[in-house]
Amino acid sequence: MFEWSGRVAVITGASSGIGAALARTVAKRGAAVALVARREERLRAVADEIVRSGGRASVHVCDIAERAQVEACLRDVLAAHGGRIDLL
C-alpha cells in the first residue's frame, strides 16, 4: 500500500468537484496538498476545511492553460513544500 504520510501532492482543479474531493481524500491519508485552480476564494475554502480537519494545505492560484502562470505556480509550490513534489 502507498504511504501518503510525509508526501506532497499537487492537485489541479482543486477548487471544486473531483479535484476538491481528491484533495480532501489525499490530505486525510496524510499528504500535504498544494491546491491549484483559478478561483482563489474556493481554493481557500477547501484549504480551510482540510486544515480544520488536521491536514496540511497550501493555496496556489493558477490558470494551467497559461505557461507563465504554471511556471510561477511550480516555484511557489516548491517553496511552500520544502522543494519537493511527490504526486501531481
Side-chain angles (χ1 to χ4, degrees):
M1 179 164 220
F2 186 79
E3 177 60 42
W4 293 93
S5 183
R7 305 285 183 164
V8 176
V10 177
I11 311 291
T12 60
S15 62
S16 64
I18 294 170
L22 179 61
R24 289 181 194 102
T25 299
V26 170
K28 282 180 186 175
R29 292 184 179 181
V33 291
L35 308 174
V36 178
R38 294 175 294 167
R39 298 174 293 188
E40 183 174 6
E41 185 175 307
R42 289 187 182 188
L43 282 175
R44 293 208 180 278
V46 173
D48 290 346
E49 181 183 338
I50 288 169
V51 170
R52 279 194 310 273
S53 66
R56 295 171 293 146
S58 61
V59 170
H60 306 276
V61 178
C62 177
D63 181 345
I64 64 169
E66 299 293 330
R67 183 183 179 106
Q69 287 186 37
V70 172
E71 291 171 354
C73 180
L74 175 60
R75 288 190 296 273
D76 290 345
V77 168
L78 290 170
H81 293 279
R84 68 183 282 185
I85 295 172
D86 297 299
L87 304 161
L88 174 62

